[in-house]
Amino acid sequence: MITLDQARLLQTAFFDRDPRRVARALLGKLLIRKTRRGILAGRVVETEAYLGEGDAAAHAVAGKTSRNLVLWGPPGYAYVYFIYGNHFCLNVSCLPDGVPGCVLFRALEPVAGIEEMAKARGIEVRRNSALRSNNLKKISSGPGRMSEALGITRERDNGKNLVSAKSDLQLVDDGYRLRRVRVTPRIGIVKSAERPLRYFIDGNPFVSGRRA
DNA sequence: TACATGATGCCCT
DNA sequence: GGGCATCATGTAG
């Protein structure tokens, strides 16, 4: 394992392939936010693949709109949308320019800047160990939660390159070795609900929702 | 312009 | 396990 500042940015080519492969490959990578006060980082422990044509649950099925335009752009860019009047969800575009597809980030394991992320979520983590452990899971287990922890909004981050050295929101590899991945149907959808397109790290306590 | 809906999370029982 | 807040977006009219 290498330290955070030695971690390597993922390359654009990493995302220039089928979202199902990207979703699996992203597990164990780090999502980092650079702030004036330091670096916030979380390990990707749960993702979902959303395909283009033929995936009724994907935003891409509606065709190009002002909201989902990023899905048709080049790979490695952030697609952020607002949902349920409360939450932002982060995706990364996949496949070549002109072909829609993405991966939704569903949960992170807090790695660095934990105090800051907890603060952004309105959570106290400095007390006794039991409460701390319990509250750690509330920081970024779930797509809306992790977005709030990292300050992700559509206005701020939609269309941002996630593999640019200049970006304040990046995906990096710190050498983490993935053991076992589990695959299940996706969470919270009605159409195409049976398709096994959700991926998560087996046994990781920061995975959201059901873990079987 | 109006209206229905949603890739969620939180609080209550 | 269930109810519900809350609003951007897309679609219908």
Side-chain angles (χ1 to χ4, degrees):
Chain A
M1 191 82 68
I2 57 181
T3 61
L4 197 54
D5 55 308
Q6 293 175 308
R8 301 189 315 181
L9 256 184
L10 297 185
Q11 298 181 13
T12 300
F14 181 97
F15 303 93
D16 194 356
R17 48 182 171 160
D18 190 290
R20 285 166 288 200
R21 295 190 59 198
V22 178
R24 182 184 287 266
L26 277 172
L27 294 177
K29 303 299 187 290
L30 295 176
L31 177 64
I32 70 175
R33 168 77 90 184
K34 296 177 177 176
T35 78
R36 288 178 295 279
R37 301 168 62 100
I39 289 183
L40 312 179
R43 192 171 307 286
V44 180
V45 299
E46 181 184 358
T47 58
E48 285 179 356
Y50 284 87
L51 315 180
E53 299 170 19
D55 183 358
H59 287 183
V61 288
K64 282 186 189 177
T65 68
S66 58
R67 175 169 76 148
N68 67 19
L69 207 55
V70 175
L71 297 176
W72 275 265
Y77 284 75
Y79 169 50
V80 182
Y81 63 87
F82 187 63
I83 191 71
Y84 295 121
N86 287 302
H87 311 289
F88 290 100
C89 292
L90 173 69
N91 303 253
V92 59
S93 61
C94 301
L95 296 168
D97 199 356
V99 184
C102 68
V103 170
L104 168 71
F105 294 90
R106 286 197 55 90
L108 303 176
E109 174 176 347
V111 169
I114 296 177
E115 292 284 330
E116 284 299 311
M117 291 192 284
K119 188 176 176 184
R121 291 269 301 120
I123 293 172
E124 176 63 63
V125 295
R126 294 198 86 129
R127 297 187 187 281
N128 65 67
S129 59
L131 181 62
R132 178 184 168 86
S133 172
N134 201 30
N135 282 350
L136 278 178
K137 295 179 186 175
K138 296 179 181 173
I139 293 178
S140 51
S141 293
R145 288 172 166 184
M146 52 160 277
S147 292
E148 187 170 47
L150 294 178
I152 292 168
T153 67
R154 179 170 171 88
E155 182 179 33
R156 182 180 181 186
D157 299 305
N158 189 56
K160 186 173 285 182
N161 187 342
L162 296 179
V163 290
S164 163
K166 297 179 294 186
S167 179
D168 67 334
L169 191 63
Q170 299 176 334
L171 285 162
V172 303
D173 185 350
D174 72 338
Y176 176 86
R177 292 295 171 186
L178 195 57
R179 291 200 177 88
R180 183 174 164 79
V181 172
R182 295 184 66 93
V183 184
T184 73
R186 294 170 292 186
I187 304 282
I189 58 171
V190 177
K191 302 165 192 163
S192 296
E194 74 291 346
R195 302 187 70 172
L197 295 175
R198 170 177 176 248
Y199 304 80
F200 61 90
I201 298 179
D202 190 28
N204 188 288
F206 296 94
V207 171
S208 74
R210 51 193 163 63
R211 287 184 255 159

